[in-house]
Amino acid sequence: MKTLLLAALTAIATQAHAGPANKYDAELKGRFEAREKDWRNGAIVYQVLPDRFAPPANLDAKRHLYPAPKILRRWDETPKRGQYLPEAKLWSHEIEFWGGDLQSLTARLDHVQQLGADVLYLNPIHLAYTNHKYDAFDYAAVSPEFGTRADVKALAQNLHARGMKLVLDGVFNHMGRNAPRFKDAEAKHLAERVGRRAAPRPARTPSGGGRKAAGGSDYRDWFYFGPQYQSGTRIWWLAENLPELNLELPAVQDHVFRAKDSVVRSYLREGVDGWRLDVAVDMGFEFLHGLTQAAHAEKPGSLVVGEIANYPKEWFPAVDGVMNFTLREILLRLADGRLSPALAQRMVDRMVAESGVDNLLKSWLMLDNHDTPRLATALPDPAQRRLAQLLQFTLPGAPNLYYGSELGMSGGDDPEMRAPMRWDQVRDDNPDYVWTKKLIALRKAQRSLRVGDYRPVTAERLFAFERHTDRARDTVIVVANPAKEAVTETVMLGNSKLMNIWMLVDQLTGQKTQISTGLLHLTLAPHEVRVLVPELSPGGGYSAYKRVK
């Protein structure tokens, strides 16, 4: 009997592969197959702060890398906000370290792989003074606390052997105040002010290029100086430790991405698969577009994703994807009741229509990261948190997991959200860990969730949408009730292939819901979410889906 049933289901599947079911499918031919071949689409991204992810094998051998006033903390200590250090022009908690590095991270890759991540994203690793490394001294060098360029290359090779990718954090809008290039430029600027130049300053070239200042400096024009700036230098968001680069200067562009030995190109040649660009919104469309084109020329299929909190619509193709802060905010406000389902639905529908599914599939959808409170702190109610996470893993995008959030780690504003990884919580009886693995398994099992198009489901009190391809069997209907009370509602589907009086099966509970002339009548408990897929055959070898692909 089992053999006959298997043969019948195989025949149904074979018929579904027989070609386009209608002219609309013909128009979609090849779309989803092409998306599946591009690793950037719908990837699951795991984010790591190298200093905080895994304790080093031999901390004593590294202590000399953290000279005073830097402080080396125990792994079981929690970061706390410090005091501002006027002479250093930064906060004391920015120079407190926990000792993690690339080798200790590599030793824990099994956790990342077994979780189901496709991409490892590292916060900055280049040479810098602080623990977070957003104050670069030299983009081409790796901070010795973390390792070397050889370690980066070995990490990329290790990930590739696991079928995974590596994305680095590029902080190209600004450098650190103590970066040699900035100190050189600042010294020449001060010399000019007091009239100690050895020769008159040449006029700028028409192209806006730099010039070699007296005394041999190549970097005088790399930064902005003048009395109009609060600190005498243009600094990012008035952070005195972060002087901004002159991104219009050809020499800066050559260094960052245009030249063959540039930062962007050289790391890609050594095995890195993409770049996440810090404060990309500050860099502007033109610079980003040039960088993205250079990355693609060096390594076709590489990823450039920008930290852009603005509405995403017009940032493509300057970048391949954005960090989708807009969708993050919609989900958090929907989950905690600040947005009604109907209004949130209209917002998402508009964003998808205007930004395009292909662009959003490459955009990272995070609910927390190193700059925000952790999800368990932002949404302390587990039911609200799980609703938001389920939507994160089912809406168009590449879900971004911040290390430790799969375990339910909590943490408020900077630096609390940057606590060291709680390896003691990696247990099969940790409900957050179990839930996260379930979400990842669900996503990997459903083709539409990874590369499918998006279509709204007409609803009022429920938040509902569909992910679909050109195959009926790939359809996934997601219906969520963010309210504190049960909601009963009839919603309308927009999929002509879903068969009347046939069932949809919830992938979380196994519960079945019957389709009635394109409508679903549902009662959802408070904060319940259903993930529904079509039941292709109830048994006996018959299927109403036999002639729809």
Side-chain angles (χ1 to χ4, degrees):
M1 185 65 185
K2 286 184 177 178
T3 302
L4 291 173
L5 179 58
L6 179 60
L9 292 176
T10 301
I12 293 169
T14 301
Q15 287 177 322
H17 277 291
N22 56 42
K23 70 171 187 176
Y24 304 102
D25 287 345
E27 294 169 359
L28 300 176
K29 184 178 180 180
R31 172 186 295 182
F32 306 103
E33 291 78 6
R35 287 177 181 171
E36 287 178 304
K37 292 177 182 178
D38 189 338
W39 67 269
R40 301 171 296 178
N41 288 323
I44 296 171
V45 182
Y46 191 86
Q47 176 186 356
V48 164
L49 279 167
D51 181 62
R52 310 292 165 87
F53 186 61
N58 187 355
L59 184 59
D60 286 337
K62 295 181 57 181
R63 289 188 183 278
H64 68 283
L65 298 175
Y66 308 94
K70 294 181 179 181
I71 297 174
L72 193 56
R73 297 291 188 187
R74 299 190 317 272
W75 201 260
D76 61 355
E77 290 187 89
T78 302
K80 292 181 173 55
R81 191 162 185 82
Q83 59 185 1
Y84 190 69
L85 306 175
E87 290 187 8
K89 301 185 187 302
L90 47 75
W91 291 83
S92 60
H93 60 259
E94 295 182 80
I95 51 175
E96 295 180 354
F97 293 78
W98 271 254
D101 54 38
L102 296 179
Q103 290 188 1
S104 64
L105 184 161
T106 301
R108 297 282 190 166
L109 284 181
D110 284 351
H111 170 75
V112 183
Q113 182 182 18
Q114 291 167 8
L115 192 63
D118 304 303
V119 178
L120 178 68
Y121 152 50
L122 301 184
N123 284 95
I125 59 173
H126 48 234
L127 183 63
Y129 185 68
T130 62
N131 52 45
H132 52 71
K133 307 302 178 189
Y134 284 99
D135 57 325
F137 283 8
D138 184 352
Y139 298 127
V142 174
S143 272
E145 307 100 314
F146 295 163
T148 65
R149 288 282 288 257
D151 291 326
V152 179
K153 188 173 182 178
L155 175 60
Q157 291 172 342
N158 193 317
L159 288 166
H160 294 163
R162 298 168 183 264
M164 300 169 65
K165 303 292 185 180
L166 177 62
V167 173
L168 298 185
D169 204 332
V171 191
F172 304 133
N173 178 73
H174 48 262
M175 299 189 79
R177 179 169 285 275
N178 289 311
R181 284 178 171 84
F182 177 76
K183 300 301 288 185
D184 181 276
E186 184 180 46
K188 290 300 182 293
H189 166 69
L190 293 175
E192 291 172 358
R193 286 187 59 190
V194 297
R196 293 199 298 264
R197 292 180 300 172
R201 179 176 175 177
R204 294 180 183 271
T205 62
S207 65
R211 73 302 187 210
K212 194 166 184 175
S217 171
D218 287 321
Y219 306 116
R220 168 60 185 80
D221 285 347
W222 281 43
F223 303 90
Y224 301 89
F225 300 96
Q228 69 272 36
Y229 304 120
Q230 178 176 298
S231 298
T233 306
R234 196 170 87 180
I235 51 180
W236 182 77
W237 273 82
L238 303 183
E240 293 183 285
N241 190 40
L242 303 177
E244 289 198 312
L245 282 161
N246 178 1
L247 299 184
E248 286 69 38
L249 191 71
V252 171
Q253 294 183 9
D254 288 344
H255 178 65
V256 173
F257 67 84
R258 290 202 311 189
K260 192 66 178 175
D261 62 347
S262 64
V263 178
V264 167
R265 287 174 176 262
S266 62
Y267 275 99
L268 290 174
R269 280 199 303 277
E270 291 176 11
V272 171
D273 300 291
W275 290 93
R276 176 266 190 191
L277 302 180
D278 182 57
V279 299
V281 71
D282 283 82
M283 299 180 187
F285 299 98
E286 186 174 347
F287 182 89
L288 292 175
H289 193 245
L291 188 153
T292 300
Q293 288 183 312
H296 293 172
E298 183 62 47
K299 191 169 193 174
S302 57
L303 173 69
V304 177
V305 63
E307 184 190 24
I308 295 169
N310 297 14
Y311 187 64
K313 175 183 176 182
E314 296 181 9
W315 289 94
F316 316 105
V319 290
D320 298 318
V322 302
M323 298 184 68
N324 201 337
F325 285 92
T326 302
L327 189 49
R328 169 185 179 268
E329 195 65 26
I330 292 171
L331 295 186
L332 294 179
R333 294 183 186 216
L334 173 68
D336 67 13
R338 287 178 289 163
L339 273 182
S340 70
L343 180 55
Q345 185 82 65
R346 292 197 299 272
M347 290 178 175
V348 173
D349 294 350
R350 178 181 175 184
M351 186 193 67
V352 173
E354 294 184 347
S355 301
V357 169
D358 282 290
N359 296 319
L360 293 180
L361 289 176
K362 297 177 180 65
S363 295
W364 292 358
L365 178 51
M366 66 289 168
L367 295 177
D368 56 2
N369 68 8
H370 62 288
D371 285 329
T372 72
R374 284 191 177 268
L375 183 62
T377 299
L379 291 177
D381 183 337
Q384 293 180 347
R385 188 161 67 246
R386 290 191 172 198
L387 182 144
Q389 289 173 301
L390 218 161
L391 296 178
Q392 176 193 21
F393 275 82
T394 53
L395 283 162
N400 185 313
L401 283 171
Y402 184 43
Y403 77 96
S405 286
E406 75 272 22
L407 309 175
M409 282 179 60
S410 59
D413 291 329
D414 188 15
E416 291 180 12
M417 81 290 267
R418 301 180 183 182
M421 177 72 166
R422 291 289 305 274
W423 290 104
D424 59 306
Q425 293 183 9
V426 182
R427 305 187 312 268
D428 289 336
D429 62 349
N430 180 334
D432 290 289
Y433 185 45
V434 173
W435 174 245
T436 303
K437 290 196 291 185
K438 187 173 185 176
L439 290 176
I440 293 173
L442 170 68
R443 184 177 179 85
K444 287 184 176 293
Q446 300 298 329
R447 183 186 189 222
S448 283
L449 297 183
R450 302 189 306 275
V451 298
D453 282 341
Y454 167 94
R455 183 159 45 210
V457 171
T458 304
E460 187 172 298
R461 299 176 61 200
L462 298 172
F463 180 84
F465 59 91
E466 176 188 343
R467 300 295 303 282
H468 66 95
T469 70
D470 54 351
R471 305 190 310 212
R473 69 178 182 273
D474 290 339
T475 302
V476 179
I477 307 292
V478 180
V479 187
N481 174 22
K484 297 178 180 179
E485 63 280 336
V487 169
T488 298
E489 186 167 47
T490 298
V491 304
M492 187 179 76
L493 310 178
N495 191 327
S496 298
K497 295 180 183 177
L498 294 180
M499 293 298 175
N500 183 46
I501 74 171
W502 281 63
M503 295 293 183
L504 297 174
V505 183
D506 184 10
Q507 298 302 286
L508 301 176
T509 66
Q511 180 180 352
K512 296 183 179 181
T513 302
Q514 189 177 60
I515 306 167
S516 177
T517 63
L519 306 179
L520 294 180
H521 187 71
L522 302 158
T523 298
L524 268 65
H527 303 115
E528 182 184 0
V529 183
R530 295 189 193 175
V531 181
L532 307 169
V533 304
E535 183 180 56
L536 296 181
S537 174
Y542 173 74
S543 175
Y545 289 93
K546 58 185 176 294
R547 291 190 177 90
V548 296
K549 185 176 178 183

